[in-house]
Amino acid sequence: MNSLDLGSLRPQLPSPLEEIEDDRFSRHGLRLLLKRDDLIHPELIGNKWRKLAPNLAAAAGRTLVTFGGAYSNHLRATAAAGRLLGLSTVGVVRGQELADRPLNTSLARCAADGMRLHFVDRSTYRRKTEPDVLARVLSTAGAEDAYVVPEGGSNAEAVRGCRALGEELRGRADVVALACGTGGTFAGLAAGLAPDQHALGVPVLKGGFLTTDIESLQEQAFGGRCGDWTLDDRFHFGGYARVPPELDAFAEDFEDRHGVPVERLYVAKLLYGLVTLAEENAFARGTTVAAVITGRPFP
């Protein structure tokens, strides 16, 4: 795999940066920009492109193995990349009990794109990063020589790839905000911003563990902590994939106001958090805030 192959997919880079008028920000003297990473590619959208592209190049044509839950957007993106580029892909799915059940919409899409699904029990899945456990999983999946991408796609290659997101936003905003899952996109974004810019992460999982994970990813990718960044853990709404009616109503209202499709698991929580912070006067008047739209709703 080489850059020419990836370039044939014609990603829209840099992604568009749009200013929107929203009175919840303007009345506090704030400008709101949307960094439309959801428009990079119709199937490899947002941070999925930025994290997968360097890993696809590193795989150099080998089978790609990665990990995810039953509704993983990362699995769907990897499967789509495999189909588009003619790569063999294997998805290791959390939950052995799912093997005998009909595939849900997300996993069915993966299978339709040619991904071979390998289900493992939850105990094994939790230990998947241990070398002996990983070797056993790869062996039983018939993928001993595959290139392995971690859950969520966050490794040093992905983090370095996401640095370009920050570089694209240099000089464009005072605060750049991003919803965080495994932390890889945020680790790269923060490293790519200018010294006078602040990166704000909104974790979508509860637990308060992400600071350590991001620091570790930056250590692996750049040799140490990079950029001026903080996290606000208040907007996970109970955990990953939790979308209570209040959040869904907020997302619908944002869509109606601005005509921008709002992905619920990440983007809705980010935007809700930013509206709350604006109301709390967390940003000084005159601040320009850029929200990274990392994805769009999947059908």
Side-chain angles (χ1 to χ4, degrees):
M1 191 60 52
N2 53 49
S3 58
L4 180 62
D5 295 319
L6 295 175
S8 70
L9 298 182
R10 299 182 179 178
Q12 183 174 345
L13 291 170
S15 59
L17 185 64
E18 304 171 351
E19 182 169 2
I20 63 171
E21 179 62 32
D22 191 309
D23 68 303
R24 294 169 294 186
F25 293 86
S26 58
R27 67 171 172 255
H28 296 286
L30 308 174
R31 294 173 65 219
L32 179 63
L33 310 178
L34 301 183
K35 178 63 168 166
R36 298 295 302 274
D37 264 23
D38 58 316
L39 301 178
I40 288 177
H41 188 275
E43 294 186 79
L44 305 180
I45 57 176
N47 60 340
K48 304 308 178 190
W49 172 273
R50 295 188 189 273
K51 292 202 288 188
L52 273 175
N55 277 292
L56 291 166
R62 283 182 289 163
T63 296
L64 209 68
V65 171
T66 195
F67 304 82
Y71 293 93
S72 168
N73 289 345
H74 170 66
L75 287 183
R76 287 183 64 153
T78 303
R83 172 174 54 79
L84 292 167
L85 295 167
L87 277 178
S88 174
T89 60
V90 177
V92 179
V93 184
R94 180 179 63 248
Q96 181 63 50
E97 71 277 6
L98 301 175
D100 299 322
R101 299 179 186 174
L103 297 179
N104 64 30
T105 303
S106 184
L107 293 179
R109 182 68 260 170
C110 291
D113 279 340
M115 174 174 275
R116 184 159 53 86
L117 301 175
H118 179 71
F119 297 89
V120 299
D121 65 84
R122 292 168 187 271
S123 175
T124 298
Y125 192 88
R126 282 193 296 271
R127 299 174 57 204
K128 62 186 177 299
T129 59
E130 299 175 19
D132 59 330
V133 176
L134 176 60
R136 187 167 68 249
V137 169
L138 294 177
S139 177
T140 56
E144 295 94 329
D145 298 322
Y147 180 86
V148 177
V149 177
E151 182 177 26
S154 291
N155 56 12
E157 288 79 9
V159 172
R160 286 190 285 266
C162 290
R163 183 172 185 163
L165 172 58
E167 292 169 345
E168 290 173 21
L169 285 161
R170 285 191 171 193
R172 310 298 296 276
D174 303 297
V175 176
V176 179
L178 176 78
C180 305
T182 52
T185 304
F186 187 75
L189 162 70
L193 292 173
D196 61 346
Q197 293 177 289
H198 180 73
L200 171 64
V202 175
V204 302
L205 291 81
K206 63 180 179 180
F209 56 86
L210 204 55
T211 295
T212 300
D213 289 356
I214 292 168
E215 288 176 340
S216 176
L217 286 166
Q218 290 193 328
E219 174 72 31
Q220 295 169 39
F222 309 119
R225 179 166 172 143
C226 300
D228 174 24
W229 57 270
T230 56
L231 303 178
D232 193 322
D233 287 300
R234 295 181 291 157
F235 305 111
H236 54 70
F237 283 86
Y240 184 71
R242 300 290 178 86
V243 184
E246 177 189 8
L247 182 62
D248 193 49
F250 170 85
E252 287 188 7
D253 175 69
F254 196 94
E255 291 172 334
D256 291 342
R257 287 173 184 246
H258 303 299
V260 176
V262 177
E263 187 274 331
R264 297 308 199 256
L265 305 189
Y266 290 86
V267 177
K269 295 179 180 182
L270 168 67
L271 295 172
Y272 185 98
L274 289 178
V275 168
T276 301
L277 288 165
E279 294 293 342
E280 293 174 350
N281 294 310
F283 308 115
R285 296 187 71 86
T287 297
T288 297
V289 179
V292 181
I293 308 302
T294 48
R296 64 172 178 271
F298 273 119

